Amino acid sequence: METLEALRLRIQACRRDSRWKSNTLSDIAFSLDNLTLAIPVIPNEIFLIYSEILSDAVLGEKPHTASFIPALFSDFDKLSDAQQDVLLDILIQHASLYRSQIMQFSVGDIIARKYPCDIAIQAFKKMWESHNLHARNIAHFGANVLSLTLPREGSERNALRRLDHIMEMGSPS
């Protein structure tokens, strides 16, 4: 099993080297996920690596950065409330970096399925109002996930309808 320092060195190499293999980020995500299998709470040292990757302009554009989202999805309950809040802030603030549709869908999905509905809708509204195409794609994907998971009636569905109305009023830039 790789150490955190070895993973950090591999991540730095991905940032610097344009000739790196495309599956290197997937391998790093797998190794990072393996470090958390037997622990009940994700330590800040590991969460910091996720944060750095998801905030990085160079890595955010790479398709295999999406490989880190399933690990966070499956270990979401191992994140502290503060880590969950930081993760959501990172995903909102850096949504414009996520150019791959797989990454956009993955981010929309984790927000829609793991955060309370009102928080997810607020996040998607912020992304939509950013007028960035990539952020808007995430908001659109996430709203579609909510549409499939919410009851047909009720306050949450009404909030989603209001978001849908906002999204219908403006087209992507």
Side-chain angles (χ1 to χ4, degrees):
M1 193 174 314
E2 283 186 273
T3 65
L4 289 178
E5 188 55 36
L7 288 173
R8 284 186 183 283
L9 291 173
R10 288 179 66 197
I11 292 165
Q12 288 174 358
C14 286
R15 284 186 188 115
R16 287 189 313 265
D17 189 1
S18 62
R19 296 170 300 174
W20 61 282
K21 294 179 183 173
S22 62
N23 63 345
T24 301
L25 283 174
S26 296
D27 292 343
I28 293 169
F30 182 75
S31 296
L32 195 55
D33 191 30
N34 280 338
L35 289 174
T36 65
L37 287 176
I39 56 176
V41 176
I42 295 192
N44 282 331
E45 299 82 29
I46 292 175
F47 181 73
L48 184 60
I49 292 174
Y50 281 113
S51 300
E52 290 171 0
I53 290 166
L54 295 173
S55 301
D56 190 277
V58 173
L59 298 178
E61 293 183 355
K62 302 200 181 294
H64 289 288
T65 302
S67 302
F68 292 91
I69 302 297
L72 286 167
F73 188 95
S74 64
D75 286 346
F76 194 80
D77 294 334
K78 293 180 179 182
L79 297 173
S80 69
D81 290 344
Q83 289 171 333
Q84 290 176 9
D85 291 344
V86 168
L87 176 62
L88 183 62
D89 287 341
I90 288 169
L91 296 175
I92 292 169
Q93 291 175 6
H94 296 90
S96 63
L97 301 177
Y98 309 143
R99 298 182 187 269
S100 134
Q101 282 192 339
I102 294 169
M103 181 65 166
Q104 293 166 4
F105 181 80
S106 298
V107 169
D109 188 61
I110 194 171
I111 293 171
R113 294 181 193 269
K114 292 299 185 177
Y115 288 92
C117 181
D118 60 326
I119 291 173
I121 288 174
Q122 288 173 7
F124 297 142
K125 185 175 184 277
K126 285 180 187 176
M127 289 178 182
W128 187 263
E129 291 174 344
S130 75
H131 297 286
N132 174 274
L133 178 61
H134 307 302
R136 283 187 163 196
N137 285 343
I138 293 169
H140 184 66
F141 287 140
N144 284 340
V145 171
L146 285 176
S147 180
L148 295 171
T149 59
L150 291 177
R152 291 189 176 267
E153 297 299 325
S155 61
E156 291 176 337
R157 178 60 71 168
N158 291 338
L160 181 58
R161 286 183 183 118
R162 286 189 295 276
L163 176 62
D164 286 341
H165 181 71
I166 290 168
M167 293 169 74
E168 287 173 4
M169 297 303 292
S171 62
S173 43

